Amino acid sequence: MKAGVDLGGTKIQAVVVDAGHAVVGQARRETPTEGGPPAVAAEIAATVREAAASAGMDVRELAGVGVGSPGAIDRTAGTVAHARNLPDWERSYPLAGTLTEALGTTVLLDNDVQVAVAGEFELGAGRPYSSLLGVWWGTGVGGGLILDGKPWLGRGAAGEIGHMVVKRGGAHCPCGRRGCLEAYAGRASMESRARHLVEQGEKTALFEIMEERGRARLQSGVWARALEDGDRMATRLVDRAIGALGAGVASAVNLLDIEAVVVGGGLGTRLGPPYVERIAEAMQPHLFVAERPPAVLSAALGDLGGAIGATLLVS
Amino acid sequence: MKAGVDLGGTKIQAVVVDAGHAVVGQARRETPTEGGPPAVAAEIAATVREAAASAGMDVRELAGVGVGSPGAIDRTAGTVAHARNLPDWERSYPLAGTLTEALGTTVLLDNDVQVAVAGEFELGAGRPYSSLLGVWWGTGVGGGLILDGKPWLGRGAAGEIGHMVVKRGGAHCPCGRRGCLEAYAGRASMESRARHLVEQGEKTALFEIMEERGRARLQSGVWARALEDGDRMATRLVDRAIGALGAGVASAVNLLDIEAVVVGGGLGTRLGPPYVERIAEAMQPHLFVAERPPAVLSAALGDLGGAIGATLLVS
């Protein structure tokens, strides 16, 4: 038995899996918004304990715990820095060491998108392929590469498909640069754009749906609902995101000629196959070998995918 | 001893190298513009014979001949198709088999850019690195990847950095698509743009220099001369190309986080280190990990690099 944790800006999801990768226990808690890294580490430990308890065991019986985290990960040192969506988490924090001490079992860290993509490669939509690009479409646009059956990390920071340039001199990106894919397709950028258009006097039901649901942000379910209702602004902004994803992902395919693209992430998973199919269509006009596109697939492991992928860190 | 051939749209360059990769013989001929693939194959054979003779040997004494060719290569079948810059060369032609028969020694084929990049990796600017992107800046913009010490070919067509999208909805590319890097930085696109600007009434010395040199095209030396003379249009179009290269190459680096970028090709080699340094500067605003850029280097093997790289096909 081993555990996996998906550490996100809003929630901490933990699972316990058996030797056949079946989920036998799970727990979910909200990510603390105060107290900085120590508070987040304590909450992760509590979530893992709860998941272990739901599987009828003690955490010390686990073979280990894998954690997928946002930010800049030092896999060897077990530290996380620059985790923008987590509270007061700029400087490097020894997350693996702190959790190992708190839980009394080995804890291994990796990038959240990388572990989710590894999960899809080993256990999900990517199983038939030896090379793939994972496109994690959520608040930002993350990516992960599997080449020749192994994760490709480069010098440690590979996979930043969200910061490939799709329009020189184009829209401002939350990263501070211009024309990045994420500036058009990241949910945070889409929300900024929607707020700007509302200020300009345009109409949309997006913010009403958000308030009805007691949310402060346009989360994926809000976008999905607005699309179902035929909201014009939501449709237009999602079309714009899909156009940018088509160009950016096609550029990556032209460079790497990989076999498959797996689309996951909050928005990718919530909107699902019909929208993933539209990304495939938007790639087509930009593909250099247009007659042989890669397979473009929806992530298959669902909401638990990140946590399940993180269990693969424990051998 | 083995031979290598760089098959280009204007010239066929052959070299003979010894076991230490030193060039001990060479020959260069013009690429036939008529007669289709058989005429080109006959001229390649003649060029290899001439290079062997200049090394004081017969072609049958060579361990083999490697050929770097434009177009779509089937490495196993030894065929070339869709070689746009060669005469009447759309359909697949058995170049390796034809040359093997003509020369009486083994002939192996690969993509021209791929062999040139492999040459820089094994013997040139890329030697200190285990991962690199070669950017071949010439008539088009080609690319080749070395990942973990080995060429990355994907499903056979990897490396098309020239057809990464740097501006959605942007300039028309010779490939028929829009906004590709090559639409801004390929020498053919730059020439089209210059002709268009002249038709609009703008002034440039580019076409006078071309005529003085008895050329029909704005070859790399023409651009270099115009830049030296401070020609405004040439300066502006090269600046535009460098801006596009900066965005496209930075996008590739953000995706792959490779250690080094090696810039070669006709224009890259002719303009040399000062312009390669400008590409590095143009990448900087787009790099996601801006504080740790890759090394950006000029190809070191010079004009014979493609032919020398092709010798590496023969083991």
Side-chain angles (χ1 to χ4, degrees):
Chain A
M1 300 281 192
K2 50 194 186 175
V5 174
D6 183 15
L7 172 57
T10 53
K11 64 178 174 55
I12 297 164
Q13 174 71 57
V15 297
V16 173
V17 299
D18 65 17
H21 306 290
V23 175
V24 295
Q26 56 175 295
R28 175 191 284 211
R29 292 181 173 221
E30 300 214 336
T31 307
T33 54
E34 291 178 351
V40 174
E43 201 68 12
I44 293 172
T47 315
V48 173
R49 278 191 207 100
E50 194 181 322
S54 82
M57 61 191 301
D58 186 89
V59 284
R60 281 162 299 188
E61 297 171 67
L62 293 169
V65 181
V67 178
S69 170
I73 313 296
D74 184 325
R75 292 165 185 87
T76 317
T79 58
V80 178
H82 311 299
R84 277 190 301 175
N85 295 324
L86 298 175
D88 305 321
W89 202 316
E90 261 311 303
R91 290 165 61 186
S92 175
Y93 179 79
L95 184 60
T98 306
L99 289 173
T100 296
E101 199 161 313
L103 293 169
T105 184
T106 311
V107 178
L108 295 162
L109 284 189
D110 206 341
N111 175 273
D112 52 353
V113 174
Q114 199 64 51
V115 302
V117 172
E120 289 294 330
F121 173 66
E122 296 278 350
L123 307 169
R127 275 179 304 172
Y129 306 100
S130 72
S131 68
L132 64 82
L133 169 66
V135 178
W136 251 238
W137 183 21
T139 310
V141 180
L145 284 165
I146 306 280
L147 300 179
D148 241 351
K150 295 187 298 272
W152 174 261
L153 306 172
R155 293 178 293 164
E160 292 292 352
I161 189 170
H163 303 283
M164 292 177 73
V165 181
V166 295
K167 189 154 191 168
R168 286 183 62 209
H172 288 279
C173 185
C175 76
R177 297 174 191 85
R178 292 189 71 166
C180 301
L181 169 53
E182 185 169 311
Y184 298 92
R187 205 175 51 204
S189 301
M190 293 165 67
E191 176 171 338
S192 298
R193 181 80 184 155
R195 289 187 191 276
H196 175 76
L197 292 173
V198 167
E199 281 164 20
Q200 305 276 306
E202 292 198 38
K203 299 224 178 311
T204 178
L206 277 164
F207 297 99
E208 285 161 36
I209 299 168
M210 178 188 86
E211 281 163 24
E212 275 167 30
R213 297 182 172 208
R215 304 288 195 176
R217 292 278 164 214
L218 297 181
Q219 285 176 303
S220 299
V222 174
W223 286 97
R225 174 60 194 278
L227 291 174
E228 281 158 23
D229 294 352
D231 184 84
R232 282 199 183 177
M233 187 191 293
T235 303
R236 183 150 54 95
L237 290 175
V238 169
D239 287 353
R240 187 169 175 259
I242 286 172
L245 283 162
V249 177
S251 290
V253 171
N254 291 344
L255 181 64
L256 290 170
D257 198 20
I258 29 136
E259 296 167 355
V261 175
V262 177
V263 181
L267 207 46
T269 302
R270 184 67 184 74
L271 298 181
Y275 285 82
V276 171
E277 177 55 37
R278 289 190 52 206
I279 293 171
E281 285 162 17
M283 288 165 60
Q284 200 59 42
H286 299 293
L287 288 175
F288 190 69
V289 187
E291 67 277 19
R292 198 198 51 189
V296 181
L297 307 157
S298 290
L301 299 180
D303 283 344
L304 297 182
I308 293 169
T311 67
L312 297 171
L313 293 173
V314 183
S315 54
Chain B
M1 301 280 190
K2 49 193 186 177
V5 175
D6 182 15
L7 172 58
T10 53
K11 63 177 175 56
I12 297 164
Q13 174 72 56
V15 297
V16 173
V17 298
D18 65 17
H21 307 291
V23 175
V24 294
Q26 56 176 295
R28 174 191 284 211
R29 291 181 173 224
E30 300 217 335
T31 308
T33 53
E34 291 178 352
V40 175
E43 201 68 12
I44 293 171
T47 315
V48 173
R49 277 192 209 99
E50 194 181 324
S54 83
M57 61 193 299
D58 187 89
V59 284
R60 279 162 300 188
E61 296 171 68
L62 293 169
V65 181
V67 179
S69 169
I73 314 295
D74 184 326
R75 292 165 185 86
T76 317
T79 57
V80 178
H82 311 300
R84 277 189 303 175
N85 296 325
L86 298 175
D88 306 322
W89 202 316
E90 261 311 303
R91 289 165 63 186
S92 175
Y93 179 80
L95 183 61
T98 306
L99 289 173
T100 296
E101 200 160 313
L103 294 171
T105 183
T106 311
V107 178
L108 295 162
L109 284 189
D110 206 341
N111 175 274
D112 52 353
V113 175
Q114 198 65 49
V115 302
V117 172
E120 289 294 329
F121 173 66
E122 297 278 350
L123 307 170
R127 275 180 304 172
Y129 306 101
S130 72
S131 67
L132 63 83
L133 169 67
V135 178
W136 251 238
W137 183 20
T139 311
V141 180
L145 284 166
I146 307 279
L147 301 178
D148 240 352
K150 295 188 300 270
W152 173 261
L153 306 171
R155 293 178 292 165
E160 291 293 352
I161 189 169
H163 302 283
M164 292 177 74
V165 181
V166 294
K167 189 152 192 170
R168 287 184 60 211
H172 288 277
C173 185
C175 77
R177 298 174 191 86
R178 293 189 70 165
C180 300
L181 169 53
E182 185 169 310
Y184 298 91
R187 205 175 51 204
S189 301
M190 292 164 69
E191 177 171 337
S192 297
R193 180 80 183 156
R195 288 187 192 277
H196 175 76
L197 292 173
V198 167
E199 280 165 21
Q200 304 276 305
E202 293 197 37
K203 299 224 177 308
T204 179
L206 277 164
F207 297 99
E208 284 161 37
I209 299 169
M210 178 188 85
E211 280 162 25
E212 275 167 29
R213 297 183 173 209
R215 304 289 195 175
R217 292 278 166 212
L218 297 181
Q219 284 174 303
S220 299
V222 175
W223 286 97
R225 174 62 192 278
L227 291 174
E228 281 157 24
D229 293 351
D231 184 84
R232 282 200 184 176
M233 187 191 293
T235 303
R236 183 150 53 95
L237 289 175
V238 169
D239 286 353
R240 187 169 175 257
I242 286 171
L245 284 163
V249 177
S251 290
V253 171
N254 290 345
L255 182 63
L256 290 170
D257 197 20
I258 29 135
E259 295 166 356
V261 174
V262 177
V263 181
L267 207 45
T269 301
R270 186 66 184 76
L271 297 181
Y275 285 82
V276 171
E277 178 54 37
R278 290 191 51 208
I279 295 171
E281 285 162 17
M283 289 165 59
Q284 200 59 40
H286 299 292
L287 288 175
F288 190 69
V289 186
E291 68 276 20
R292 198 197 51 191
V296 181
L297 307 157
S298 290
L301 300 180
D303 283 345
L304 298 182
I308 294 169
T311 66
L312 296 171
L313 293 173
V314 182
S315 55

